[in-house]
Amino acid sequence: MRIEHIEELASIIGDGSRVITAPAVLERLSHDFYWYSPVLRPKLANKHGDVAIQPASVDEVLAVLRYAGRNEVPVTVRGAGTGNYGQCVPLEGGIVLDLSLIDRLEEITPDGIAVCQPGLRLGALETEARKHGWELRMYPSTLVKASVGGFLAGGSGGIGSVAHGGLRDFDTVRAFEVVTMEDQPRVVLHEGAAVHEILHAWGTNGILSRIWFALAPAVEWMQFTAVFNTYDQAFTFTESIAADPAWTKRLATVFEWPIPSFFTPIKGLVREGKTMALLMIKTSQCEALSSAAQSAGGEVTFTGVFEGPRTQPLLSDYTWNHTTLWAMKADSSYTYLQCGFSPRECREQFHMLRARYGDEILFHIEFMKNSDGAVIPGAIPVVRFTTEERLNEMIAYCRSIGVFVANPHVNYLEDGGRFRADNIQLLAKQKYDPRGLLNPGKMISFRKAVAQ
Ligand SMILES: Cc1cc2nc3c(=O)[nH]c(=O)nc-3n(C[C@H](O)[C@H](O)[C@H](O)COP(=O)(O)OP(=O)(O)OC[C@H]3O[C@@H](n4cnc5c(N)ncnc54)[C@H](O)[C@@H]3O)c2cc1C
């Protein structure tokens, strides 16, 4: 990118402190948690933008896109940069558009819709929502840092998904406004089913600039752990809670040994050699849950009130994709997969994987509701990495026995787990970004229109 472009952009923004070229900061703003994947690590380490811009308003976003479009400069949007697959890593340089300053919560409507700007942090939204009697339907374990825009564009679900499904389900995302990269960039409203054209498209076909996000009535939650002698016992107990609608829960997780041994800050909750179940349960049901765990052969090792994102210990910090982080801290040769087991055949599938891979794969289950309303054992197993070939063989084997795998070791939408086969994201890209300037290289089925 030419130096004149950077000077020109600085004069558009009119505040040099928000037009960043300092190499160390630019480097940081160009990366996310792509290094989780030993496959992506060498491919993305050297990729970075030429300038990072921190707009403070949607008008400034429009002005930057107008300039970038006219000059064919790529733009890669960034929320908080907690994505796992290098989603916000610019592959072709250009502008990193950091939306962290556009972070206002405009209102929470009486019927529980948060109207907010994309840079708003999910933790701040959860805290504010609870003051109004509401809470997030679901959030990633990066709650405190991650932004609402980044979650919608790059995430899929998390804590709360056992009750409310993933981000794509049950009208959780009611509407948003999108800034386009057309000849004349504009702000377009997408409502209802039209949100799926842009949702989880990694900022490749529009920039979310205002969001209507449905909340749930707030519940008083307890955090809960119990340990069991065997994985089967812990899985069966947790499954019985997750699948039964009589239990009001926000989280239902199982970690087979030795995964709990990686959780050093909460080692008092762990027992050597035992599988751990970790749940968030409505406070009024906590006693009954303790009795149920004991009847199932478990030992309850912790119960404590959830007081919002600042709770200590915040047990969600050990769940979803935080589990992988703890494993990698303990042993850097660990990595992960993202799987969905069959509710009916999962025990056989566990058995087959264990027989073939031994402790090369460690089971970490996150129960979640699917779009049909059925609760299924989702999983983010911890996997010992040796070679890319071995990892791909494991993925192929999982798929051959009916285990769904969303491959987290690729850096483009089409091979990631949440790819939509119905083409609507591609059609939206052709319409809103015909020159292919938004996060280029991440939607590989897109081809630039050839001028006639
Ligand atoms: C330890 C750890 C645990 C995690 N746990 C979970 C989990 O439980 N569930 C889950 O779903 N994910 C999880 N993630 C992934 C990630 O944290 C979430 O998806 C998070 O919501 C991303 O938000 P962000 O603001 O950091 O987005 P970023 O990483 O900044 O961006 C994500 C993608 O969205 C695009 N984007 C950002 N803002 C916008 C916008 N306004 N408009 C259009 N595109 C935009 C970016 O270009 C990028 O492609 C985890 C990651 C880590 C490192």
Side-chain angles (χ1 to χ4, degrees):
M1 188 171 157
R2 294 205 311 269
I3 187 77
E4 308 89 83
H5 288 324
I6 296 173
E7 287 165 4
E8 210 39 60
L9 285 161
S11 75
I12 288 172
I13 295 294
D15 172 359
S17 71
R18 295 192 279 114
V19 179
I20 295 161
T21 50
V25 186
L26 194 52
E27 189 66 23
R28 182 176 61 73
L29 292 176
S30 296
H31 289 102
D32 60 7
F33 284 69
Y34 73 97
W35 49 265
Y36 255 53
S37 163
V39 178
L40 294 178
R41 212 176 292 148
K43 294 182 182 164
L44 300 182
N46 294 325
K47 305 282 181 194
H48 54 81
D50 299 301
V51 60
I53 300 185
Q54 297 175 320
S57 68
V58 176
D59 281 345
E60 285 187 354
V61 172
L62 277 160
V64 171
L65 292 205
R66 220 174 281 128
Y67 183 85
R70 263 203 316 272
N71 294 283
E72 304 259 325
V73 175
V75 176
T76 302
V77 62
R78 174 188 176 90
T82 67
N84 289 120
Y85 333 120
Q87 290 164 314
C88 71
V89 177
L91 299 182
E92 297 180 13
I95 299 168
V96 171
L97 196 68
D98 172 0
L99 297 188
S100 56
L101 300 180
I102 306 183
D103 65 345
R104 211 154 40 81
L105 171 60
E106 294 180 9
E107 69 167 315
I108 294 176
T109 65
D111 56 341
I113 311 291
V115 186
C116 60
Q117 294 186 324
L120 177 67
R121 293 190 184 229
L122 288 161
L125 178 53
E126 166 81 1
T127 302
E128 205 47 42
R130 294 189 79 80
K131 291 183 195 160
H132 292 80
W134 299 98
E135 65 182 27
L136 292 171
R137 287 190 180 183
M138 87 269 318
Y139 53 88
S141 58
T142 46
L143 169 70
V144 175
K145 270 182 98 179
S147 70
V148 180
F151 187 38
L152 266 54
S156 50
I159 295 104
S161 287
V162 65
H164 299 289
L167 265 176
R168 283 192 172 144
D169 304 325
F170 311 123
D171 294 328
T172 291
V173 181
R174 291 290 160 88
F176 41 64
E177 288 175 350
V178 180
V179 184
T180 70
M181 185 49 126
E182 296 162 291
D183 279 348
Q184 289 303 324
R186 61 195 170 115
V187 178
V188 183
L189 177 68
H190 279 240
E191 287 181 282
V195 300
H196 297 291
E197 295 172 26
I198 312 290
L199 199 60
H200 199 83
W202 299 13
T204 56
N205 58 9
I207 296 182
L208 308 178
S209 55
R210 192 168 182 221
I211 294 154
W212 283 258
F213 197 37
L215 305 169
V219 172
E220 296 286 315
W221 296 109
M222 291 291 275
Q223 306 185 103
F224 173 98
T225 59
V227 294
F228 294 82
N229 285 335
T230 67
Y231 173 73
D232 279 354
Q233 274 179 316
F235 181 84
T236 300
F237 164 71
T238 312
E239 181 186 45
S240 72
I241 308 299
D244 181 349
W247 296 98
T248 301
K249 62 261 159 186
R250 208 178 194 187
L251 189 57
T253 307
V254 182
F255 307 111
E256 92 168 310
W257 187 263
I259 295 174
S261 72
F262 306 146
F263 304 159
T264 42
I266 54 163
K267 58 176 187 279
L269 282 49
V270 171
R271 298 289 180 272
E272 178 73 24
K274 297 201 176 187
T275 296
M276 177 188 265
L278 191 163
L279 292 101
M280 281 177 80
I281 194 86
K282 189 176 181 178
T283 299
S284 58
Q285 293 182 324
C286 194
E287 247 181 72
L289 185 69
S290 296
S291 305
Q294 281 152 2
S295 306
E299 175 199 349
V300 177
T301 56
F302 181 78
T303 60
V305 179
F306 172 74
E307 291 168 329
R310 300 288 165 191
T311 308
Q312 284 303 324
L314 185 64
L315 292 190
S316 62
D317 279 354
Y318 301 86
T319 66
W320 289 83
N321 222 355
H322 265 78
T323 310
T324 316
L325 195 57
W326 290 107
M328 290 173 74
K329 268 189 193 169
D331 180 340
S332 59
S333 70
Y334 280 128
T335 186
Y336 72 119
L337 290 178
Q338 300 172 144
C339 299
F341 285 87
S342 150
R344 248 167 289 136
E345 286 147 30
C346 57
R347 285 172 177 76
E348 181 58 14
Q349 290 168 332
F350 297 144
H351 178 74
M352 289 167 87
L353 283 164
R354 180 61 10 102
R356 192 176 174 100
Y357 297 108
D359 62 6
E360 212 176 321
I361 183 164
L362 303 174
F363 298 129
H364 158 208
I365 303 297
E366 297 287 353
F367 284 96
M368 62 181 300
K369 197 176 265 182
N370 68 17
S371 54
D372 299 326
V375 173
I376 62 153
I380 312 181
V382 171
V383 171
R384 187 173 292 285
F385 180 75
T386 47
T387 63
E388 187 174 349
E389 291 67 37
R390 179 70 174 170
L391 193 61
N392 287 336
E393 190 274 333
M394 190 184 277
I395 293 172
Y397 181 70
C398 282
R399 289 175 176 158
S400 76
I401 62 168
V403 176
F404 166 84
V405 182
N407 187 355
H409 303 283
V410 291
N411 184 234
Y412 49 91
L413 274 164
E414 285 84 344
D415 269 351
R418 305 280 154 185
F419 177 60
R420 290 188 70 102
D422 61 9
N423 247 12
I424 58 175
Q425 293 170 319
L426 176 60
L427 292 173
K429 184 158 177 84
Q430 286 162 349
K431 184 168 59 167
Y432 290 160
D433 180 30
R435 288 161 296 189
L437 295 171
L438 290 179
N439 207 353
K442 305 287 175 59
M443 191 191 278
I444 57 169
S445 44
F446 170 77
R447 298 276 175 276
K448 286 184 212 181
V450 180
Q452 297 295 309

